[in-house]
Amino acid sequence: MQQFLAQWMPIDVSAHGYQIDRIIGMVHWLMAVLFVGWALYFIYVLYRFRAGKNPKASYQGAKSHFSSYVEVGVAALEAVLLIGFAIPAWSSWVTTPAADERPFEVRVVGEQYAWNVHYPGPDGVFGRAEAALVDTATNPLGIDRSDPYAQDDVTTINQLHVPVDREVIVYLSSKDVIHGFFLPQLRVKQDAIPGMRIPVHFRATQTTPEESRFPACSAEKNCWEIACAQLCGLGHFRMRGFYTVHSQAEFEAWMNEQVASLPSYQTRLAGLMAGSSSDSSPSALPDSPTLSSDGETPAGGTQ
Amino acid sequence: MSFSEKREEGVSEHDSEVPEAPEGLSEPPDRGAAEAHGAHHQEGFLRKYIFSIDHKVIGLQYGLTALLFMLFGFCLMLLMRWQLAFPGQPIPVIGGLLGNANAPGGVMLPEFYNQLGAMHGTIMVFLGVVPLVVGAFGNYFVPLQIGAPDMAFPKLNMMSYWVYFVGGVIMFVSFFLPGGAANSGWTSYPPLSNIATMGQTAWLLGMVFLITSSLLGSINIITTIIQLRAEGLTYMRMPFFIWSQFVTSFLLLLAFPPLEAAGVMQLMDRLAGTSFFMPSGLVVSGQVLEGAGGGSPLLWQHLFWFLAHPEVYVLILPAMGIVAEVIANNTRKPLWGYKAMVYASVWLGFMSFIVWAHHMFLTGMGTVMSAFFQTTTMIISIPSVVILTALLISLWGGSIRFNTPMLFALAFLPMFGIGGLTGLPLGLAPSDIHLHDTYYVIGHFHYVVAPGTIFAIFAGIYFWFPKFTGRRMSESLGKIHFWGSFIFMNGVFGPMFLQGLAGVSRRLYDGGVQYSHAQDVVQFNQFMSYSAFLLLIAQLPFIFNFFWSMRMGEKVGNNPWQATTLDWAATSSPPLGHGNFAEVPVVWRGPYEYSVPGHEEDFLPQNVATPAPQEG
Amino acid sequence: MEIPYNVEERPDTGLYNGKLGIWLFLASEVMLFGGLFSSYILLRTGDPNWFKPELSVPMATLNTMVLISSSVTMVMAWASLRLQDFKKFRLFSAATFLLACAFMVIKGFEYNTEFSHHLYPSSNNFMATYFTMTGLHGLHVLGGMVVIAYLWGPGSRMWKTEPERFTNRVEITGLYWHFVDLVWIFLFPALYLL
Amino acid sequence: MTAHSPEDIRKETRVYIFVFIALAALTVVTVGISYLDLSTGPAVALALFVALIKGSLVAAFFMHLLSERKLIYAVLVFTVFFFLALIFLPLGSFLNQVAG
Ligand code: HEA
Ligand code: HEA
Ligand code: CUA
Ligand SMILES: [Cu+2]
């Protein structure tokens, strides 16, 4: 069944995706068995008890209690699916990885109609961001560049880059209305709700093939995209972004390049960059001051 | 008092000066005063057909208005289906009539697409199906099937129709406001809806009217069922249709008010500048929004789905009721497991209040609450299985007549089966991660509402048409209608599951053509849209049949289907005024005593006294 | 054919139609105000910057007393009818109406003070909740006043023709009125005291 | 209501007066409590408790629920259940929110 459905589903390149696909497969088994079973019975009954052939109905009707077994069976299978698979899968889906798994953290902020991505940069700490500083053209995230933590922060629009084989936490929020952050191949979907900061996490198991990378990919078939799942206005249909899964080395190279092109960074933090060659994007300290103040501000919009 | 006298008295007009309190503290008409005025023998046309307080006229008013709205909702969808199949191409023939604000050069704008989508959903649900199944079928047949002269509160009944009508007019007119109709989906999630155009205000006002109307209607139906049942009609002798209306009315009564509260709050947000649903620090098109902030968008979702989940059972329960009636009649045997069906429907109604957040799994719900809502969602699927199973097993041993109402009722079973079963992967939160807000959801619920509920409505119309009019609808046209609808409904909705599995989002103006992950399945859109257009063509025989049969259909007696329930004991096209029955019926037995052993005819009506009345 | 059980009670339920109808209506009202209370609780727990300006507790206390008194006069009006004392009914229901007027006037003064302190629904979420809830409650009071006035005036003609039916109407109106009072009993601590 | 003698009804009216006095007294009590500087938890609990008593008095006597028919109770039991769902399930979801 899973293979059968997989014909239409996007490939799965995430560590947790098999749980989702497995549940989808199992439920569809249950559905298929029920449907086909009842449908066969249904057709048979319609044929056998048509008025032409069976002019006199039976007052009693069916006497068997087979149907009760079916009902109990359905209930039992649903219970198994629920307790055995769905609840544990959900629990792992919402449990953000602990700091010792060195999750890579990134903020994604939806806006009508684009995905803003905010990387903490080599220091691993998100700089301060504030609604009042937002400037659509130059500073869509409202990052306060005077904050020391913000100096090395990298931002992109509609481009999400993540390392492979590493837990990634995306802190989702939105500037204006509710959007739906959807990465089909990673089996990730989560509403981006203004005023809230919702973490989603995943671990990509494959790097994006060259032909599926923006801008090399052809729109026809081969892009790995960020789709918007939630109606967010007239541009909802074109709120399309791209994501790329890199190998660790490739990712670092990409990040360094981005950091290097930051104007503030070139002047002030050149020294720090020198020491960040091998494995220097340290995981964010969860208790770092900026981050927790982030969490406390209800002004979720643009932090 | 002779029967004709009773008729006149019932429709006489009187105490029109009674002010109706806005909360619906209305009272039944004051007959004493009428007699004091001297009976008005020539009650005016207005009183008889427009501001009628007769449940049958009101039922027909509801029915016709709602059918027209449904057709309108369908036409909105056809425009959308054109755009989905041929994105960016001018709409043929009527494209030019839509106006430059909506479709310059006949090419639909995304703004307009969103208006059509939101209004299609709203109109189908609140102006089409609910008024049909509750307002029309409920009003017409609840009193008839329980042997009552009318609803318990006839004036309230009239008010409920007119409040509905006003709500409908507001919704319709909103298309002509600057910025057009509401465009934030039928779910109207803020903050999008808070910052939307004026149409949203109209939508909210319209909803307040529609909710009020349902509320008045439900008070009436519940009171009628409890208080006006004929002698001998115990609860367990009520037709399943009555049970379904009974449970449905409780859902309307208790689930709708929270959305009314939410509607008032959203109106306040839009008109008085409050921030119930607006968090602080929103930046819309580069501008920081003024306002107090601190509100919560999720609050709306909770209040909305608190209504809207029970609402979907409002759509399906009466449909199941209609199907049960038709199946019992056309298998010529009692329903199998009637009691189980009754308990299941009560259980369904009860549970439907505590599953709502399965629409909100992806709003950041933790494990505990998601486990709760997944569990309740799985539990609520069981009573549906029980009811469907009972209906399916009822076929066993029957002598099945395949007339048009029966065909629609039979088709309901597997179609609802598909729709219901595809609810299961949505109800398990992990699989909902992939399927949420995709066409899989659209497919799921259309299978339950369109080839499900709409088929049940068609079954009901064909089945009860002789009761409205004294004539039968044409069978051959009916069969064309059935097969056309059956095939094309599946053509529209079947491929949606594949699109959903591929991850195509819903509410996409271009149907997703830009997305790579949609490429394998977007080409289905043309096939689906052609099916939808053909579906419209398949309705033409029905529309023709409907009006033609009113005048020219085969004349039939009171009980053309040899049925057992009390509605068939009333004269066909029963007299207006509070008086449905020539003599007050007394009930002797359960609702579906077909093919009773030892009885020579194959049906034994509820009101016919036999030598030894048996326990029901 | 008459609609049965309009005035007399149906034996198996022990109710006449109107009474069942009004209780159903009140049940739906519970859910309406329930939605608002639920929102209030959520907004308040969810907002760390929740701010509640001082409202006039004395005025609200006075209003609570006024509304409670009007409930008593309402129930006394009904009791008078059951004792066949139409004069007293008139007296008590006039008192009810006047007390309701007093409630609305005091409420008006309160609103006025709030406006003069530049407190509007848009000021913050507390004021928004406050105005929405008290406003909706006020509309209910107003609706009740219309009915009470009608039953005091033109509607009371029915006492001569159908006394029992009239008594039922008053009972139903009373049930509604007490419910409005009951809502206030919860609004008062929720909005003014906590 | 039919079976009530005038004597009964007069008795009832006396009860109404007592209830009125109780309500007035409880109003004073709630206001009084609000001037005690209690912390939020106890303050809310206490205020709601008093309001609940007052509400019950109104419902039981003025709305004569005490002597009402079973059917009405049934309607109200359902309503109370759904009311509680309406209050507590959204609250539960808010408290069980994934946050980061
Ligand atoms: C009438 C309407 C109706 C009905 C009855 C249902 C019934 C069910 N619905 Fe559906 N639902 C909707 C209307 C309906 N729904 C709508 C309108 C939406 C979308 C709203 C929006 O977002 O716009 C929705 C969305 C929706 C979601 C949210 C999806 C999402 O947004 O991600 C979920 C999730 O749990 C869900 C679940 C269910 C379940 C478990 C049932 C169960 O009750 C189903 C139980 C039934 C069965 C299990 C079938 C049993 C039958 C057989 C076994 C017999 C087979 C017979 C033959 C073969 C002859 N529904
Ligand atoms: C009861 C509810 C209901 C019904 C019946 C329907 C019926 C149909 N719906 Fe709809 N639909 C919704 C409720 C409903 N829908 C909702 C809630 C949404 C979501 C909106 C949102 O996103 O916010 C939606 C969205 C929706 C979409 C997705 C749009 C998008 O996401 O962008 C599509 C796409 O194809 C669609 C198609 C159809 C079609 C082809 C029908 C057909 O089945 C219609 C068939 C209609 C008929 C057969 C009626 C015929 C009428 C007559 C014959 C009357 C005759 C008149 C007289 C005799 C006077 N619907
Ligand atoms: Cu953003 Cu849809
Ligand atoms: Cu639902």
Side-chain angles (χ1 to χ4, degrees):
Chain A
M1 181 60 72
Q2 214 162 310
Q3 284 76 40
F4 176 73
L5 295 174
Q7 290 177 59
W8 291 283
M9 291 171 69
I11 53 162
D12 166 29
V13 298
S14 69
H16 71 279
Y18 78 95
Q19 290 181 307
I20 293 176
D21 291 8
R22 184 170 68 186
I23 292 176
I24 292 182
M26 287 187 298
V27 189
H28 279 80
W29 261 121
L30 174 65
M31 291 154 63
V33 168
L34 275 176
F35 186 78
V36 172
W38 277 122
L40 291 176
Y41 160 85
F42 184 60
I43 293 166
Y44 171 69
V45 167
L46 292 187
Y47 174 76
R48 170 159 165 205
F49 294 104
R50 65 192 189 278
K53 179 150 172 287
N54 192 33
K56 183 88 183 94
S58 137
Y59 180 75
Q60 294 292 324
K63 289 181 206 71
S64 135
H65 284 277
F66 182 63
S67 68
S68 316
Y69 303 127
V70 176
E71 281 153 17
V72 173
V74 173
L77 286 174
E78 284 180 359
V80 170
L81 280 171
L82 194 63
I83 298 164
F85 298 92
I87 294 175
W90 188 260
S91 164
S92 69
W93 161 254
V94 295
T95 310
T96 19
D100 57 4
E101 293 180 55
R102 296 192 320 115
F104 175 77
E105 294 176 298
V106 55
R107 285 177 65 219
V108 171
V109 179
E111 83 175 75
Q112 289 174 322
Y113 305 100
W115 298 104
N116 294 291
V117 185
H118 179 184
Y119 297 91
D123 66 357
V125 180
F126 293 108
R128 220 166 57 81
E130 194 178 299
L133 297 175
V134 169
D135 181 310
T136 325
T138 57
N139 191 2
L141 281 159
I143 293 175
D144 178 3
R145 290 286 176 188
S146 65
D147 176 15
Y149 289 111
Q151 309 276 321
D152 61 346
D153 287 11
V154 168
T155 64
T156 59
I157 296 177
N158 285 333
Q159 294 287 341
L160 175 67
H161 296 260
V162 293
V164 73
D165 287 331
R166 178 162 173 201
E167 281 291 342
V168 176
I169 303 182
V170 178
Y171 294 102
L172 263 183
S173 72
S174 165
K175 280 201 231 178
D176 37 39
V177 304
I178 303 176
H179 300 276
F181 180 69
F182 181 23
L183 311 175
Q185 296 81 358
L186 282 169
R187 298 294 185 271
V188 166
K189 190 184 283 153
Q190 175 64 54
D191 286 357
I193 303 171
M196 294 173 68
R197 184 166 177 273
I198 301 173
V200 249
H201 70 102
F202 57 84
R203 180 200 292 264
T205 53
Q206 286 177 31
T207 55
T208 313
E210 209 49 54
E211 74 274 11
S212 296
R213 291 185 183 189
F214 182 81
C217 64
S218 78
E220 283 305 282
K221 268 247 136 76
N222 278 320
C223 296
W224 287 16
E225 296 151 321
I226 311 172
C228 182
Q230 184 66 263
L231 178 64
C232 53
L234 62 92
H236 164 58
F237 73 103
R238 57 178 160 81
M239 188 161 161
R240 169 171 174 247
F242 300 89
Y243 73 94
T244 314
V245 182
H246 298 276
S247 67
Q248 184 69 29
E250 208 175 60
F251 181 76
E252 269 157 32
W254 175 81
M255 181 56 81
N256 288 339
E257 194 185 314
Q258 297 298 312
V259 173
S261 64
L262 285 172
S264 57
Y265 199 83
Q266 283 168 345
T267 49
R268 292 195 53 203
L269 295 167
L272 204 144
M273 230 180 85
S276 70
S277 54
S278 63
D279 183 26
S280 69
S281 34
S283 54
L285 312 165
D287 53 352
S288 70
T290 331
L291 207 69
S292 60
S293 78
D294 244 352
E296 273 160 24
T297 323
T302 52
Q303 330 154 355
Chain B
M1 222 196 263
S2 85
F3 184 56
S4 58
E5 273 166 358
K6 287 175 192 158
R7 278 173 64 182
E8 275 148 19
E9 177 202 285
V11 289
S12 56
E13 56 127 19
H14 40 66
D15 74 354
S16 44
E17 78 279 73
V18 178
E20 311 281 16
E23 296 78 17
L25 263 183
S26 160
E27 305 246 284
D30 169 355
R31 228 155 274 97
E35 261 147 84
H37 292 184
H40 291 251
H41 283 262
Q42 246 78 34
E43 69 278 350
F45 175 81
L46 269 186
R47 195 46 158 168
K48 194 160 170 192
Y49 293 112
I50 308 293
F51 296 104
S52 172
I53 53 170
D54 182 276
H55 74 103
K56 296 179 291 299
V57 179
I58 297 172
L60 290 178
Q61 287 174 326
Y62 259 119
L64 287 175
T65 320
L67 276 174
L68 286 175
F69 271 119
M70 225 162 80
L71 192 58
F72 180 59
F74 189 18
C75 293
L76 300 183
M77 179 41 67
L78 291 178
L79 294 177
M80 294 170 75
R81 286 278 12 150
W82 173 269
Q83 164 66 26
L84 290 174
F86 309 103
Q89 290 181 38
I91 301 163
V93 193
I94 55 165
L97 306 175
L98 296 173
N100 266 340
N102 297 327
V107 179
M108 177 184 297
L109 291 176
E111 297 89 310
F112 189 50
Y113 181 88
N114 287 352
Q115 289 173 38
L116 293 174
M119 295 311 281
H120 162 78
T122 309
I123 287 174
M124 283 301 198
V125 173
F126 295 103
L127 289 163
V129 174
V130 174
L132 262 171
V133 293
V134 181
F137 284 109
N139 244 311
Y140 206 102
F141 291 106
V142 165
L144 286 179
Q145 282 202 331
I146 62 172
D150 201 323
M151 286 291 213
F153 311 113
K155 275 204 180 159
L156 202 65
N157 204 10
M158 175 190 86
M159 234 170 73
S160 120
Y161 172 75
W162 286 104
V163 172
Y164 156 69
F165 187 82
V166 173
V169 169
I170 294 177
M171 291 288 186
F172 181 75
V173 167
S174 70
F175 274 102
F176 303 101
L177 292 175
N183 53 14
S184 311
W186 82 293
T187 49
S188 282
Y189 281 4
L192 181 62
S193 55
N194 268 7
I195 58 177
T197 50
M198 234 164 98
Q200 183 65 23
T201 307
W203 186 90
L204 289 164
L205 275 177
M207 284 308 291
V208 170
F209 276 89
L210 295 177
I211 292 171
T212 309
S213 153
S214 301
L215 226 122
L216 301 181
S218 61
I219 292 176
N220 223 332
I221 289 182
I222 297 174
T223 311
T224 307
I225 293 178
I226 293 182
Q227 292 281 96
L228 305 189
R229 270 170 296 125
E231 202 188 327
L233 187 62
T234 57
Y235 284 109
M236 279 302 159
R237 284 177 178 176
M238 294 198 306
F240 185 66
F241 176 75
I242 298 295
W243 267 108
S244 71
Q245 290 284 336
F246 192 54
V247 176
T248 301
S249 298
F250 269 104
L251 302 186
L252 290 173
L253 183 78
L254 298 178
F256 275 41
L259 185 66
E260 192 143 7
V264 169
M265 282 155 62
Q266 200 180 99
L267 275 173
M268 291 286 284
D269 271 6
R270 291 178 56 86
L271 302 176
T274 58
S275 304
F276 287 116
F277 306 125
M278 301 286 268
S280 317
L282 292 192
V283 185
V284 175
S285 353
Q287 295 297 308
V288 179
L289 282 193
E290 309 268 321
S296 161
L298 288 190
L299 174 57
W300 168 270
Q301 297 191 16
H302 281 292
L303 294 175
F304 181 86
W305 291 116
F306 188 89
L307 155 113
H309 187 87
E311 167 76 27
V312 308
Y313 293 95
V314 169
L315 302 175
I316 205 68
L317 270 172
M320 290 172 170
I322 295 172
V323 168
E325 296 299 297
V326 175
I327 285 188
N329 179 263
N330 287 303
T331 52
R332 315 306 297 162
K333 61 184 284 299
L335 285 181
W336 189 91
Y338 165 84
K339 277 201 178 146
M341 286 172 72
V342 168
Y343 297 137
S345 63
V346 174
W347 179 14
L348 193 68
F350 187 79
M351 291 299 296
S352 74
F353 281 90
I354 48 174
V355 303
W356 79 81
H358 65 205
H359 298 271
M360 299 169 62
F361 283 140
L362 296 188
T363 54
M365 197 182 283
T367 310
V368 178
M369 286 321 274
S370 96
F372 176 83
F373 284 110
Q374 290 179 71
T375 310
T376 52
T377 303
M378 288 303 114
I379 291 176
I380 204 177
S381 68
I382 301 298
S384 300
V385 173
V386 170
I387 294 175
L388 263 275
T389 306
L391 287 173
L392 281 165
I393 295 184
S394 295
L395 299 171
W396 187 275
S399 169
I400 302 171
R401 307 192 294 211
F402 291 97
N403 46 31
T404 311
M406 185 62 167
L407 286 177
F408 276 108
L410 287 176
F412 172 92
L413 303 175
M415 297 294 105
F416 175 79
I418 296 178
L421 290 171
T422 49
L424 299 180
L426 300 174
L428 294 171
S431 39
D432 192 47
I433 294 172
H434 184 62
L435 299 172
H436 178 65
D437 271 335
T438 64
Y439 265 88
Y440 197 93
V441 178
I442 303 280
H444 152 64
F445 74 79
H446 279 90
Y447 262 96
V448 264
V449 295
T453 305
I454 290 194
F455 275 15
I457 289 170
F458 284 144
I461 293 177
Y462 284 101
F463 185 61
W464 274 308
F465 195 80
K467 191 68 1 189
F468 307 127
T469 62
R471 291 167 191 274
R472 211 200 290 258
M473 288 174 81
S474 151
E475 276 289 310
S476 26
L477 284 174
K479 288 196 170 132
I480 299 177
H481 176 215
F482 169 74
W483 287 110
S485 301
F486 183 75
I487 293 166
F488 298 127
M489 283 277 188
N490 282 293
V492 187
F493 300 120
M496 287 184 178
F497 294 120
L498 304 182
Q499 294 190 331
L501 283 171
V504 181
S505 299
R506 57 194 285 201
R507 294 161 166 170
L508 293 176
Y509 164 67
D510 59 4
V513 282
Q514 305 177 49
Y515 283 108
S516 301
H517 64 262
Q519 290 309 314
D520 288 338
V521 290
V522 275
Q523 75 266 19
F524 298 156
N525 271 333
Q526 291 193 10
F527 171 77
M528 291 154 73
S529 294
Y530 282 125
S531 297
F533 304 143
L534 290 169
L535 182 59
L536 178 72
I537 310 255
Q539 305 310 309
L540 298 180
F542 170 71
I543 298 175
F544 174 76
N545 196 353
F546 190 83
F547 292 106
W548 183 82
S549 301
M550 274 190 200
R551 307 251 147 191
M552 315 292 281
E554 172 203 352
K555 271 203 180 148
V556 291
N558 287 348
N559 191 0
W561 309 109
Q562 295 96 34
T564 50
T565 46
L566 292 181
D567 40 339
W568 302 103
T571 4
S572 272
S573 187
L576 301 185
H578 310 301
N580 288 322
F581 299 91
E583 56 189 87
V584 184
V586 176
V587 170
W588 297 98
R589 61 184 64 76
Y592 308 114
E593 294 299 294
Y594 290 101
S595 303
V596 180
H599 188 73
E600 77 249 39
E601 269 173 319
D602 76 341
F603 68 111
L604 190 49
Q606 285 189 282
N607 61 321
V608 171
T610 43
Q614 45 185 107
E615 269 309 300
Chain C
M1 220 196 298
E2 282 288 337
I3 294 172
Y5 314 117
N6 237 338
V7 183
E8 74 286 8
E9 291 163 359
R10 180 176 163 114
D12 59 350
T13 59
L15 297 167
Y16 57 92
N17 297 344
K19 187 185 282 183
L20 180 56
I22 195 75
W23 273 109
L24 290 170
F25 174 68
L26 294 182
S28 86
E29 292 280 89
V30 169
M31 298 308 281
L32 177 71
F33 283 101
L36 291 172
F37 273 105
S38 183
S39 309
Y40 174 52
I41 297 172
L42 278 189
L43 289 172
R44 189 164 179 160
T45 41
D47 186 353
N49 302 329
W50 186 261
F51 170 69
K52 175 177 174 294
E54 273 311 309
L55 300 174
S56 167
V57 175
M59 271 214 251
T61 313
L62 178 62
N63 243 351
T64 311
M65 294 296 188
V66 169
L67 212 55
I68 294 174
S69 315
S70 82
S71 246
V72 183
T73 54
M74 185 77 223
V75 80
M76 293 302 275
W78 178 55
S80 313
L81 276 188
R82 291 197 295 157
L83 291 166
Q84 314 297 323
D85 191 341
F86 185 70
K87 277 229 183 69
K88 263 205 182 149
F89 158 75
R90 276 243 156 144
L91 214 71
F92 277 122
S93 57
T96 312
F97 183 82
L98 291 176
L99 284 166
C101 284
F103 178 87
M104 293 303 278
V105 169
I106 296 172
K107 196 86 235 159
F109 273 118
E110 251 186 76
Y111 275 14
N112 208 21
T113 340
E114 279 135 22
F115 292 149
S116 69
H117 288 96
H118 298 285
L119 290 174
Y120 301 105
S122 55
S123 301
N124 56 49
N125 271 337
F126 174 77
M127 290 318 285
T129 323
Y130 165 83
F131 278 109
T132 309
M133 290 179 96
T134 56
L136 214 61
H137 177 262
L139 282 180
H140 279 77
V141 174
L142 219 60
M145 284 167 70
V146 172
V147 178
I148 292 169
Y150 169 75
L151 290 179
W152 182 86
S156 66
R157 262 178 292 160
M158 191 193 264
W159 175 249
K160 299 207 187 65
T161 53
E162 291 174 283
E164 210 179 320
R165 181 141 187 224
F166 184 66
T167 314
N168 285 350
R169 286 194 169 184
V170 173
E171 181 185 9
I172 290 179
T173 312
L175 287 174
Y176 169 76
W177 192 252
H178 304 311
F179 176 79
V180 174
D181 184 16
L182 207 154
V183 170
W184 182 260
I185 286 178
F186 283 93
L187 281 179
F188 172 57
L191 292 177
Y192 291 86
L193 304 180
L194 292 177
Chain D
M1 300 301 105
T2 33
H4 291 244
S5 69
E7 212 18 68
D8 290 341
I9 298 172
R10 288 213 181 81
K11 236 186 254 160
E12 273 176 37
T13 55
R14 251 166 285 149
V15 174
Y16 296 151
I17 303 300
F18 280 127
V19 171
F20 171 65
I21 294 169
L23 287 173
L26 284 171
T27 307
V28 176
V29 169
T30 347
V31 177
I33 291 172
S34 77
Y35 284 107
L36 305 175
D37 256 329
L38 291 179
S39 61
T40 330
V44 171
L46 215 54
L48 278 186
F49 180 66
V50 177
L52 216 64
I53 297 180
K54 288 168 71 183
S56 315
L57 284 175
V58 170
F61 295 101
F62 289 174
M63 303 172 87
H64 44 85
L65 254 188
L66 266 186
S67 55
E68 200 45 275
R69 309 289 171 184
K70 271 213 218 67
L71 189 65
I72 304 285
Y73 292 158
V75 170
L76 291 181
V77 165
F78 273 99
T79 312
V80 166
F81 179 82
F82 296 138
F83 177 82
L84 293 178
L86 177 60
I87 301 278
F88 287 107
L89 289 182
L91 195 62
S93 305
F94 264 57
L95 299 179
N96 189 223
Q97 190 78 45
V98 181

